Amino acid sequence: MKKTACAALLIGSMLLGGWFAADLFGNTSPKTMMLQSGSTALRYALPFFLSAVCWLSGWMIRPNEGLKESTLSRAAAAVLSAASAFCGFYMMLRLWEGREPASASTRLDAPYQTGLRWALWLCAGLLIVYAVWNVFFLCETGVEGHSERLLVPGMAGSAAFFIYVFFVVFAQPVSVYRIGPTLETLSALWALLFTVALLRAAYRPDYSTALRSLFRTGCCAFLFCTCIGAPYTVWKLAGGVKTAVSPAFSLVLVLVGILGAVYAWNAAAQTE
């Protein structure tokens, strides 16, 4: 029953992502990133409604269960590690060449741009730390044989998503009518919540709601980071739309969402 419910949530997320993609390519202006027709509130209501269902569905996950891994989760973590390392070095290269933060060049004064550049340097370094943590923790040692010495780099790596949330907010115009940038911020936020839940479930297996939180945040990360984030990234590349979120970081968010779906499924399967 729990696996069926989890599968329904994941499929529902993919269907909503397909509807969002059709709306993007057929009903959204690349210049303003606003809808050409229809209700803006509806575009927010559906993702938030489904995320609320995912959150409520977490009550079906029994507490006091230790986190278990699968071959699929290790494979997804390995791909995410490669993407995180690539994104970190890519961001460093663009910062070195003075091409970041391009989206803030016409909006913020020089001191603010300098602050954003330093924040991006830190974010890029933490993404590389996160990639290394993924390799040693998820891909090699596994949850059963983990060392708590890896908790610090895991927390530091997860902070990259926290920094990027604020960067996105300050580096581009924020408006509820510009749906794409707002959802990019929410994607980075859910990626942060999922990685924090993963750390808590791995290093505090005695915590009664750790696995339940992992299920909830994993489902929501899959919805916002992958099902909504992936078509939005393709739409940006196809239309030449530039936002504060680089394509490399968008790829990382998409893979974080996939990893979230894998762990949400594992949580439902092991408590079936």
Side-chain angles (χ1 to χ4, degrees), residues 160-183:
F161 302 99
F162 178 77
I163 295 172
Y164 216 84
V165 169
F166 284 93
F167 168 74
V168 171
V169 171
F170 282 101
Q172 63 185 2
V174 178
S175 171
V176 293
Y177 295 102
R178 303 174 78 244
I179 298 177
T182 304
L183 292 177

Side-chain angles (χ1 to χ4, degrees), residues 128-169:
I128 296 174
V129 171
Y130 183 71
V132 174
W133 174 78
N134 255 335
V135 169
F136 284 98
F137 176 71
L138 292 174
C139 303
E140 291 187 4
T141 61
V143 173
E144 298 298 331
H146 72 274
S147 170
E148 291 198 4
R149 290 178 298 179
L150 294 175
L151 175 61
V152 174
M155 293 176 61
S158 299
F161 302 99
F162 178 77
I163 295 172
Y164 216 84
V165 169
F166 284 93
F167 168 74
V168 171
V169 171

Side-chain angles (χ1 to χ4, degrees), residues 80 161 164 183-184 187-189 191-192 221 224-226 229 245 248-258:
L80 177 58
F161 302 99
Y164 216 84
L183 292 177
E184 280 183 323
S187 297
L189 181 60
L192 169 66
F224 282 93
C225 299
T226 304
V245 179
F249 197 86
S250 295
L251 174 62
V252 173
L253 292 178
V254 169
L255 294 175
V256 168
I258 293 175

Side-chain angles (χ1 to χ4, degrees), residues 203-215:
Y203 290 107
R204 296 193 61 185
D206 58 325
Y207 196 81
S208 61
T209 59
L211 199 61
R212 184 176 292 165
S213 297
L214 188 63
F215 174 86

Side-chain angles (χ1 to χ4, degrees), residues 1 13 30-31 48 50 57 108 111 119 132 180 196 242-243 248 252 270:
M1 179 62 185
S13 297
K31 294 182 179 180
F48 279 112
L50 186 55
S57 299
L108 301 177
V132 174
V196 170
K242 293 183 179 180
T243 65
V252 173
Q270 76 178 66

